[in-house]
mmCIF file of all heavy atoms in Angstrom:
data_model
loop_
_atom_site.group_PDB
_atom_site.id
_atom_site.type_symbol
_atom_site.label_atom_id
_atom_site.label_comp_id
_atom_site.label_asym_id
_atom_site.label_seq_id
_atom_site.Cartn_x
_atom_site.Cartn_y
_atom_site.Cartn_z
ATOM 1 N N ARG A 95 -18.312 -44.969 -7.008
ATOM 2 C CA ARG A 95 -19.115 -43.753 -7.169
ATOM 3 C C ARG A 95 -18.529 -42.616 -6.356
ATOM 4 O O ARG A 95 -18.463 -41.465 -6.787
ATOM 5 C CB ARG A 95 -20.556 -44.015 -6.746
ATOM 6 C CG ARG A 95 -21.316 -44.947 -7.677
ATOM 7 C CD ARG A 95 -22.819 -44.859 -7.415
ATOM 8 N NE ARG A 95 -23.152 -45.248 -6.048
ATOM 9 C CZ ARG A 95 -23.535 -46.466 -5.676
ATOM 10 N NH1 ARG A 95 -23.616 -47.428 -6.602
ATOM 11 N NH2 ARG A 95 -23.829 -46.749 -4.426
ATOM 12 N N TRP A 96 -18.117 -42.936 -5.121
ATOM 13 C CA TRP A 96 -17.512 -41.917 -4.253
ATOM 14 C C TRP A 96 -16.239 -41.343 -4.875
ATOM 15 O O TRP A 96 -16.011 -40.137 -4.851
ATOM 16 C CB TRP A 96 -17.202 -42.551 -2.896
ATOM 17 C CG TRP A 96 -16.471 -41.627 -1.955
ATOM 18 C CD1 TRP A 96 -17.011 -40.688 -1.146
ATOM 19 C CD2 TRP A 96 -15.056 -41.574 -1.743
ATOM 20 N NE1 TRP A 96 -16.031 -40.031 -0.430
ATOM 21 C CE2 TRP A 96 -14.814 -40.562 -0.779
ATOM 22 C CE3 TRP A 96 -13.969 -42.282 -2.275
ATOM 23 C CZ2 TRP A 96 -13.544 -40.258 -0.337
ATOM 24 C CZ3 TRP A 96 -12.699 -41.958 -1.834
ATOM 25 C CH2 TRP A 96 -12.494 -40.954 -0.876
ATOM 26 N N LEU A 97 -15.419 -42.243 -5.469
ATOM 27 C CA LEU A 97 -14.187 -41.799 -6.108
ATOM 28 C C LEU A 97 -14.483 -40.923 -7.316
ATOM 29 O O LEU A 97 -13.798 -39.923 -7.555
ATOM 30 C CB LEU A 97 -13.354 -43.016 -6.529
ATOM 31 C CG LEU A 97 -11.978 -42.720 -7.132
ATOM 32 C CD1 LEU A 97 -11.109 -41.967 -6.120
ATOM 33 C CD2 LEU A 97 -11.291 -44.013 -7.591
ATOM 34 N N GLY A 98 -15.539 -41.256 -8.055
ATOM 35 C CA GLY A 98 -15.919 -40.431 -9.208
ATOM 36 C C GLY A 98 -16.336 -39.028 -8.792
ATOM 37 O O GLY A 98 -15.969 -38.034 -9.436
ATOM 38 N N ILE A 99 -17.122 -38.954 -7.714
ATOM 39 C CA ILE A 99 -17.535 -37.625 -7.211
ATOM 40 C C ILE A 99 -16.325 -36.842 -6.729
ATOM 41 O O ILE A 99 -16.209 -35.627 -6.967
ATOM 42 C CB ILE A 99 -18.566 -37.791 -6.078
ATOM 43 C CG1 ILE A 99 -19.851 -38.422 -6.628
ATOM 44 C CG2 ILE A 99 -18.872 -36.447 -5.426
ATOM 45 C CD1 ILE A 99 -20.868 -38.759 -5.558
ATOM 46 N N LEU A 100 -15.399 -37.532 -6.046
ATOM 47 C CA LEU A 100 -14.202 -36.869 -5.542
ATOM 48 C C LEU A 100 -13.366 -36.313 -6.685
ATOM 49 O O LEU A 100 -12.915 -35.152 -6.641
ATOM 50 C CB LEU A 100 -13.384 -37.871 -4.730
ATOM 51 C CG LEU A 100 -12.085 -37.360 -4.110
ATOM 52 C CD1 LEU A 100 -12.389 -36.284 -3.077
ATOM 53 C CD2 LEU A 100 -11.315 -38.508 -3.475
ATOM 54 N N ILE A 101 -13.174 -37.096 -7.727
ATOM 55 C CA ILE A 101 -12.391 -36.638 -8.884
ATOM 56 C C ILE A 101 -13.089 -35.469 -9.569
ATOM 57 O O ILE A 101 -12.453 -34.487 -9.986
ATOM 58 C CB ILE A 101 -12.178 -37.802 -9.871
ATOM 59 C CG1 ILE A 101 -11.313 -38.885 -9.221
ATOM 60 C CG2 ILE A 101 -11.528 -37.300 -11.156
ATOM 61 C CD1 ILE A 101 -11.156 -40.131 -10.068
ATOM 62 N N LYS A 102 -14.408 -35.553 -9.650
ATOM 63 C CA LYS A 102 -15.182 -34.478 -10.282
ATOM 64 C C LYS A 102 -15.005 -33.162 -9.535
ATOM 65 O O LYS A 102 -14.860 -32.085 -10.137
ATOM 66 C CB LYS A 102 -16.647 -34.888 -10.334
ATOM 67 C CG LYS A 102 -17.591 -33.837 -10.905
ATOM 68 C CD LYS A 102 -18.340 -33.100 -9.817
ATOM 69 C CE LYS A 102 -19.338 -32.115 -10.384
ATOM 70 N NZ LYS A 102 -19.944 -31.263 -9.346
ATOM 71 N N GLU A 103 -14.985 -33.209 -8.200
ATOM 72 C CA GLU A 103 -14.817 -31.992 -7.421
ATOM 73 C C GLU A 103 -13.424 -31.388 -7.604
ATOM 74 O O GLU A 103 -13.271 -30.169 -7.667
ATOM 75 C CB GLU A 103 -15.069 -32.278 -5.940
ATOM 76 C CG GLU A 103 -16.516 -32.542 -5.602
ATOM 77 C CD GLU A 103 -17.407 -31.364 -5.964
ATOM 78 O OE1 GLU A 103 -17.023 -30.209 -5.689
ATOM 79 O OE2 GLU A 103 -18.491 -31.601 -6.531
ATOM 80 N N PHE A 104 -12.412 -32.249 -7.691
ATOM 81 C CA PHE A 104 -11.066 -31.746 -7.933
ATOM 82 C C PHE A 104 -10.961 -31.108 -9.314
ATOM 83 O O PHE A 104 -10.297 -30.082 -9.498
ATOM 84 C CB PHE A 104 -10.040 -32.876 -7.784
ATOM 85 C CG PHE A 104 -9.596 -33.104 -6.367
ATOM 86 C CD1 PHE A 104 -9.942 -34.265 -5.694
ATOM 87 C CD2 PHE A 104 -8.834 -32.147 -5.710
ATOM 88 C CE1 PHE A 104 -9.540 -34.467 -4.382
ATOM 89 C CE2 PHE A 104 -8.415 -32.350 -4.406
ATOM 90 C CZ PHE A 104 -8.772 -33.512 -3.735
ATOM 91 N N ILE A 105 -11.611 -31.707 -10.303
ATOM 92 C CA ILE A 105 -11.612 -31.117 -11.653
ATOM 93 C C ILE A 105 -12.302 -29.755 -11.645
ATOM 94 O O ILE A 105 -11.834 -28.786 -12.249
ATOM 95 C CB ILE A 105 -12.291 -32.073 -12.655
ATOM 96 C CG1 ILE A 105 -11.474 -33.353 -12.799
ATOM 97 C CG2 ILE A 105 -12.466 -31.384 -14.018
ATOM 98 C CD1 ILE A 105 -12.128 -34.403 -13.677
ATOM 99 N N GLN A 106 -13.434 -29.684 -10.927
ATOM 100 C CA GLN A 106 -14.167 -28.421 -10.844
ATOM 101 C C GLN A 106 -13.334 -27.359 -10.136
ATOM 102 O O GLN A 106 -13.327 -26.180 -10.522
ATOM 103 C CB GLN A 106 -15.478 -28.644 -10.080
ATOM 104 C CG GLN A 106 -16.413 -27.440 -10.076
ATOM 105 C CD GLN A 106 -16.982 -27.144 -11.441
ATOM 106 O OE1 GLN A 106 -17.119 -28.026 -12.279
ATOM 107 N NE2 GLN A 106 -17.304 -25.870 -11.675
ATOM 108 N N LEU A 107 -12.614 -27.770 -9.102
ATOM 109 C CA LEU A 107 -11.768 -26.825 -8.382
ATOM 110 C C LEU A 107 -10.627 -26.327 -9.262
ATOM 111 O O LEU A 107 -10.269 -25.145 -9.214
ATOM 112 C CB LEU A 107 -11.209 -27.506 -7.125
ATOM 113 C CG LEU A 107 -10.339 -26.634 -6.209
ATOM 114 C CD1 LEU A 107 -11.140 -25.472 -5.657
ATOM 115 C CD2 LEU A 107 -9.778 -27.470 -5.071
ATOM 116 N N ARG A 108 -10.082 -27.206 -10.078
ATOM 117 C CA ARG A 108 -9.012 -26.814 -10.973
ATOM 118 C C ARG A 108 -9.500 -25.820 -12.025
ATOM 119 O O ARG A 108 -8.775 -24.901 -12.420
ATOM 120 C CB ARG A 108 -8.429 -28.052 -11.663
ATOM 121 C CG ARG A 108 -7.200 -27.762 -12.513
ATOM 122 C CD ARG A 108 -6.718 -29.012 -13.215
ATOM 123 N NE ARG A 108 -7.721 -29.517 -14.148
ATOM 124 C CZ ARG A 108 -7.563 -30.620 -14.885
ATOM 125 N NH1 ARG A 108 -6.463 -31.337 -14.756
ATOM 126 N NH2 ARG A 108 -8.519 -31.011 -15.705
ATOM 127 N N ARG A 109 -10.729 -26.004 -12.466
ATOM 128 C CA ARG A 109 -11.287 -25.074 -13.449
ATOM 129 C C ARG A 109 -11.593 -23.706 -12.824
ATOM 130 O O ARG A 109 -11.490 -22.683 -13.494
ATOM 131 C CB ARG A 109 -12.568 -25.661 -14.048
ATOM 132 C CG ARG A 109 -12.328 -26.885 -14.924
ATOM 133 C CD ARG A 109 -13.651 -27.483 -15.373
ATOM 134 N NE ARG A 109 -13.447 -28.627 -16.256
ATOM 135 C CZ ARG A 109 -14.428 -29.413 -16.697
ATOM 136 N NH1 ARG A 109 -15.689 -29.170 -16.315
ATOM 137 N NH2 ARG A 109 -14.158 -30.426 -17.484
ATOM 138 N N ASP A 110 -11.979 -23.698 -11.560
ATOM 139 C CA ASP A 110 -12.295 -22.438 -10.882
ATOM 140 C C ASP A 110 -11.004 -21.877 -10.295
ATOM 141 O O ASP A 110 -10.715 -22.015 -9.111
ATOM 142 C CB ASP A 110 -13.332 -22.687 -9.779
ATOM 143 C CG ASP A 110 -13.882 -21.397 -9.207
ATOM 144 O OD1 ASP A 110 -13.382 -20.312 -9.589
ATOM 145 O OD2 ASP A 110 -14.799 -21.460 -8.370
ATOM 146 N N ARG A 111 -10.227 -21.220 -11.131
ATOM 147 C CA ARG A 111 -8.905 -20.763 -10.730
ATOM 148 C C ARG A 111 -8.981 -19.652 -9.685
ATOM 149 O O ARG A 111 -8.075 -19.527 -8.855
ATOM 150 C CB ARG A 111 -8.141 -20.278 -11.959
ATOM 151 C CG ARG A 111 -7.860 -21.396 -12.963
ATOM 152 C CD ARG A 111 -7.019 -20.896 -14.113
ATOM 153 N NE ARG A 111 -6.716 -21.979 -15.052
ATOM 154 C CZ ARG A 111 -5.982 -21.829 -16.158
ATOM 155 N NH1 ARG A 111 -5.491 -20.621 -16.452
ATOM 156 N NH2 ARG A 111 -5.758 -22.851 -16.955
ATOM 157 N N LEU A 112 -10.024 -18.840 -9.721
ATOM 158 C CA LEU A 112 -10.148 -17.759 -8.747
ATOM 159 C C LEU A 112 -10.306 -18.313 -7.334
ATOM 160 O O LEU A 112 -9.642 -17.862 -6.397
ATOM 161 C CB LEU A 112 -11.343 -16.868 -9.102
ATOM 162 C CG LEU A 112 -11.584 -15.684 -8.162
ATOM 163 C CD1 LEU A 112 -10.376 -14.766 -8.138
ATOM 164 C CD2 LEU A 112 -12.831 -14.918 -8.573
ATOM 165 N N THR A 113 -11.175 -19.310 -7.188
ATOM 166 C CA THR A 113 -11.358 -19.928 -5.873
ATOM 167 C C THR A 113 -10.078 -20.596 -5.398
ATOM 168 O O THR A 113 -9.691 -20.472 -4.226
ATOM 169 C CB THR A 113 -12.494 -20.963 -5.925
ATOM 170 O OG1 THR A 113 -13.705 -20.303 -6.306
ATOM 171 C CG2 THR A 113 -12.695 -21.619 -4.577
ATOM 172 N N PHE A 114 -9.400 -21.298 -6.323
ATOM 173 C CA PHE A 114 -8.145 -21.952 -5.948
ATOM 174 C C PHE A 114 -7.102 -20.916 -5.533
ATOM 175 O O PHE A 114 -6.338 -21.122 -4.577
ATOM 176 C CB PHE A 114 -7.625 -22.783 -7.128
ATOM 177 C CG PHE A 114 -6.405 -23.595 -6.806
ATOM 178 C CD1 PHE A 114 -6.504 -24.769 -6.070
ATOM 179 C CD2 PHE A 114 -5.153 -23.182 -7.228
ATOM 180 C CE1 PHE A 114 -5.371 -25.512 -5.761
ATOM 181 C CE2 PHE A 114 -4.025 -23.914 -6.927
ATOM 182 C CZ PHE A 114 -4.135 -25.082 -6.199
ATOM 183 N N GLY A 115 -7.075 -19.786 -6.237
ATOM 184 C CA GLY A 115 -6.139 -18.731 -5.873
ATOM 185 C C GLY A 115 -6.425 -18.159 -4.502
ATOM 186 O O GLY A 115 -5.507 -17.857 -3.731
ATOM 187 N N MET A 116 -7.726 -18.003 -4.181
ATOM 188 C CA MET A 116 -8.094 -17.499 -2.858
ATOM 189 C C MET A 116 -7.660 -18.470 -1.761
ATOM 190 O O MET A 116 -7.196 -18.058 -0.693
ATOM 191 C CB MET A 116 -9.609 -17.287 -2.790
ATOM 192 C CG MET A 116 -10.123 -16.204 -3.703
ATOM 193 S SD MET A 116 -9.631 -14.563 -3.168
ATOM 194 C CE MET A 116 -10.401 -13.564 -4.441
ATOM 195 N N ILE A 117 -7.812 -19.769 -2.023
ATOM 196 C CA ILE A 117 -7.435 -20.776 -1.034
ATOM 197 C C ILE A 117 -5.949 -20.682 -0.708
ATOM 198 O O ILE A 117 -5.528 -20.827 0.442
ATOM 199 C CB ILE A 117 -7.800 -22.189 -1.547
ATOM 200 C CG1 ILE A 117 -9.323 -22.336 -1.655
ATOM 201 C CG2 ILE A 117 -7.225 -23.270 -0.638
ATOM 202 C CD1 ILE A 117 -9.752 -23.628 -2.302
ATOM 203 N N VAL A 118 -5.152 -20.400 -1.712
ATOM 204 C CA VAL A 118 -3.703 -20.330 -1.520
ATOM 205 C C VAL A 118 -3.275 -18.972 -0.961
ATOM 206 O O VAL A 118 -2.446 -18.889 -0.046
ATOM 207 C CB VAL A 118 -2.981 -20.610 -2.852
ATOM 208 C CG1 VAL A 118 -1.475 -20.415 -2.696
ATOM 209 C CG2 VAL A 118 -3.299 -22.025 -3.332
ATOM 210 N N MET A 119 -3.867 -17.901 -1.493
ATOM 211 C CA MET A 119 -3.390 -16.562 -1.185
ATOM 212 C C MET A 119 -3.852 -16.053 0.180
ATOM 213 O O MET A 119 -3.122 -15.308 0.838
ATOM 214 C CB MET A 119 -3.848 -15.594 -2.276
ATOM 215 C CG MET A 119 -3.127 -15.782 -3.595
ATOM 216 S SD MET A 119 -1.331 -15.617 -3.433
ATOM 217 C CE MET A 119 -1.196 -13.929 -2.835
ATOM 218 N N LEU A 120 -5.059 -16.416 0.608
ATOM 219 C CA LEU A 120 -5.562 -15.879 1.870
ATOM 220 C C LEU A 120 -4.680 -16.258 3.068
ATOM 221 O O LEU A 120 -4.332 -15.385 3.880
ATOM 222 C CB LEU A 120 -7.008 -16.328 2.098
ATOM 223 C CG LEU A 120 -8.082 -15.468 1.429
ATOM 224 C CD1 LEU A 120 -9.468 -16.028 1.677
ATOM 225 C CD2 LEU A 120 -8.008 -14.025 1.920
ATOM 226 N N PRO A 121 -4.306 -17.527 3.224
ATOM 227 C CA PRO A 121 -3.409 -17.840 4.353
ATOM 228 C C PRO A 121 -2.061 -17.129 4.261
ATOM 229 O O PRO A 121 -1.522 -16.675 5.275
ATOM 230 C CB PRO A 121 -3.242 -19.364 4.264
ATOM 231 C CG PRO A 121 -4.418 -19.832 3.484
ATOM 232 C CD PRO A 121 -4.709 -18.744 2.516
ATOM 233 N N ILE A 122 -1.523 -17.021 3.030
ATOM 234 C CA ILE A 122 -0.241 -16.337 2.863
ATOM 235 C C ILE A 122 -0.372 -14.864 3.233
ATOM 236 O O ILE A 122 0.478 -14.288 3.921
ATOM 237 C CB ILE A 122 0.255 -16.496 1.409
ATOM 238 C CG1 ILE A 122 0.550 -17.975 1.113
ATOM 239 C CG2 ILE A 122 1.487 -15.638 1.169
ATOM 240 C CD1 ILE A 122 0.969 -18.247 -0.309
ATOM 241 N N MET A 123 -1.469 -14.235 2.782
ATOM 242 C CA MET A 123 -1.674 -12.824 3.072
ATOM 243 C C MET A 123 -1.850 -12.591 4.571
ATOM 244 O O MET A 123 -1.277 -11.649 5.137
ATOM 245 C CB MET A 123 -2.898 -12.305 2.311
ATOM 246 C CG MET A 123 -3.162 -10.813 2.514
ATOM 247 S SD MET A 123 -4.481 -10.190 1.457
ATOM 248 C CE MET A 123 -5.879 -11.105 2.114
ATOM 249 N N GLN A 124 -2.609 -13.432 5.230
ATOM 250 C CA GLN A 124 -2.791 -13.296 6.672
ATOM 251 C C GLN A 124 -1.470 -13.460 7.413
ATOM 252 O O GLN A 124 -1.173 -12.722 8.355
ATOM 253 C CB GLN A 124 -3.818 -14.319 7.169
ATOM 254 C CG GLN A 124 -5.239 -14.015 6.743
ATOM 255 C CD GLN A 124 -6.208 -15.072 7.239
ATOM 256 O OE1 GLN A 124 -5.843 -16.236 7.421
ATOM 257 N NE2 GLN A 124 -7.446 -14.684 7.446
ATOM 258 N N LEU A 125 -0.674 -14.444 6.992
ATOM 259 C CA LEU A 125 0.612 -14.686 7.637
ATOM 260 C C LEU A 125 1.537 -13.480 7.491
ATOM 261 O O LEU A 125 2.166 -13.038 8.455
ATOM 262 C CB LEU A 125 1.270 -15.927 7.026
ATOM 263 C CG LEU A 125 2.631 -16.334 7.597
ATOM 264 C CD1 LEU A 125 2.501 -16.713 9.061
ATOM 265 C CD2 LEU A 125 3.219 -17.478 6.791
ATOM 266 N N LEU A 126 1.596 -12.907 6.283
ATOM 267 C CA LEU A 126 2.466 -11.764 6.048
ATOM 268 C C LEU A 126 1.995 -10.533 6.812
ATOM 269 O O LEU A 126 2.804 -9.811 7.410
ATOM 270 C CB LEU A 126 2.536 -11.463 4.541
ATOM 271 C CG LEU A 126 3.233 -12.509 3.667
ATOM 272 C CD1 LEU A 126 3.145 -12.116 2.206
ATOM 273 C CD2 LEU A 126 4.692 -12.662 4.087
ATOM 274 N N LEU A 127 0.678 -10.285 6.793
ATOM 275 C CA LEU A 127 0.158 -9.090 7.446
ATOM 276 C C LEU A 127 0.327 -9.153 8.956
ATOM 277 O O LEU A 127 0.811 -8.210 9.584
ATOM 278 C CB LEU A 127 -1.312 -8.892 7.080
ATOM 279 C CG LEU A 127 -1.599 -8.537 5.621
ATOM 280 C CD1 LEU A 127 -3.088 -8.339 5.408
ATOM 281 C CD2 LEU A 127 -0.843 -7.285 5.204
ATOM 282 N N PHE A 128 -0.074 -10.274 9.543
ATOM 283 C CA PHE A 128 0.020 -10.389 10.997
ATOM 284 C C PHE A 128 1.466 -10.554 11.460
ATOM 285 O O PHE A 128 1.826 -10.131 12.560
ATOM 286 C CB PHE A 128 -0.819 -11.566 11.496
ATOM 287 C CG PHE A 128 -2.282 -11.264 11.583
ATOM 288 C CD1 PHE A 128 -3.141 -11.644 10.576
ATOM 289 C CD2 PHE A 128 -2.805 -10.584 12.673
ATOM 290 C CE1 PHE A 128 -4.498 -11.365 10.641
ATOM 291 C CE2 PHE A 128 -4.148 -10.295 12.757
ATOM 292 C CZ PHE A 128 -5.008 -10.685 11.738
ATOM 293 N N GLY A 129 2.277 -11.176 10.621
ATOM 294 C CA GLY A 129 3.651 -11.417 11.034
ATOM 295 C C GLY A 129 4.571 -10.220 10.880
ATOM 296 O O GLY A 129 5.472 -10.018 11.697
ATOM 297 N N PHE A 130 4.339 -9.423 9.820
ATOM 298 C CA PHE A 130 5.286 -8.348 9.515
ATOM 299 C C PHE A 130 4.676 -6.952 9.609
ATOM 300 O O PHE A 130 5.373 -5.996 9.947
ATOM 301 C CB PHE A 130 5.860 -8.533 8.101
ATOM 302 C CG PHE A 130 6.717 -9.751 7.952
ATOM 303 C CD1 PHE A 130 6.229 -10.878 7.316
ATOM 304 C CD2 PHE A 130 8.006 -9.782 8.450
ATOM 305 C CE1 PHE A 130 7.017 -12.004 7.159
ATOM 306 C CE2 PHE A 130 8.804 -10.901 8.313
ATOM 307 C CZ PHE A 130 8.308 -12.022 7.670
ATOM 308 N N ALA A 131 3.397 -6.797 9.272
ATOM 309 C CA ALA A 131 2.827 -5.460 9.147
ATOM 310 C C ALA A 131 2.189 -4.950 10.432
ATOM 311 O O ALA A 131 2.117 -3.747 10.654
ATOM 312 C CB ALA A 131 1.792 -5.433 8.008
ATOM 313 N N ILE A 132 1.697 -5.854 11.284
ATOM 314 C CA ILE A 132 0.934 -5.423 12.449
ATOM 315 C C ILE A 132 1.873 -5.174 13.623
ATOM 316 O O ILE A 132 2.688 -6.016 13.978
ATOM 317 C CB ILE A 132 -0.122 -6.487 12.814
ATOM 318 C CG1 ILE A 132 -1.031 -6.756 11.612
ATOM 319 C CG2 ILE A 132 -0.928 -6.021 14.004
ATOM 320 C CD1 ILE A 132 -1.676 -5.529 11.025
ATOM 321 N N ASN A 133 1.713 -3.999 14.236
ATOM 322 C CA ASN A 133 2.551 -3.614 15.367
ATOM 323 C C ASN A 133 1.746 -2.695 16.268
ATOM 324 O O ASN A 133 1.343 -1.611 15.858
ATOM 325 C CB ASN A 133 3.822 -2.914 14.886
ATOM 326 C CG ASN A 133 4.703 -2.476 16.037
ATOM 327 O OD1 ASN A 133 4.553 -2.948 17.166
ATOM 328 N ND2 ASN A 133 5.632 -1.577 15.758
ATOM 329 N N SER A 134 1.494 -3.133 17.488
ATOM 330 C CA SER A 134 0.697 -2.334 18.425
ATOM 331 C C SER A 134 1.536 -1.341 19.215
ATOM 332 O O SER A 134 1.003 -0.596 20.041
ATOM 333 C CB SER A 134 -0.056 -3.255 19.400
ATOM 334 O OG SER A 134 0.854 -4.059 20.133
#
Side-chain angles (χ1 to χ4, degrees):
R95 291 195 299 265
W96 175 84
L97 184 60
I99 295 174
L100 180 64
I101 295 175
K102 177 259 183 188
E103 289 301 316
F104 275 112
I105 295 175
Q106 187 68 27
L107 183 62
R108 186 183 63 181
R109 292 175 178 174
D110 190 354
R111 295 184 178 180
L112 180 60
T113 300
F114 185 77
M116 294 290 180
I117 294 173
V118 175
M119 289 303 299
L120 275 178
I122 295 177
M123 182 173 65
Q124 289 179 331
L125 180 63
L126 293 176
L127 292 181
F128 281 98
F130 294 104
I132 303 306
N133 179 17
S134 59

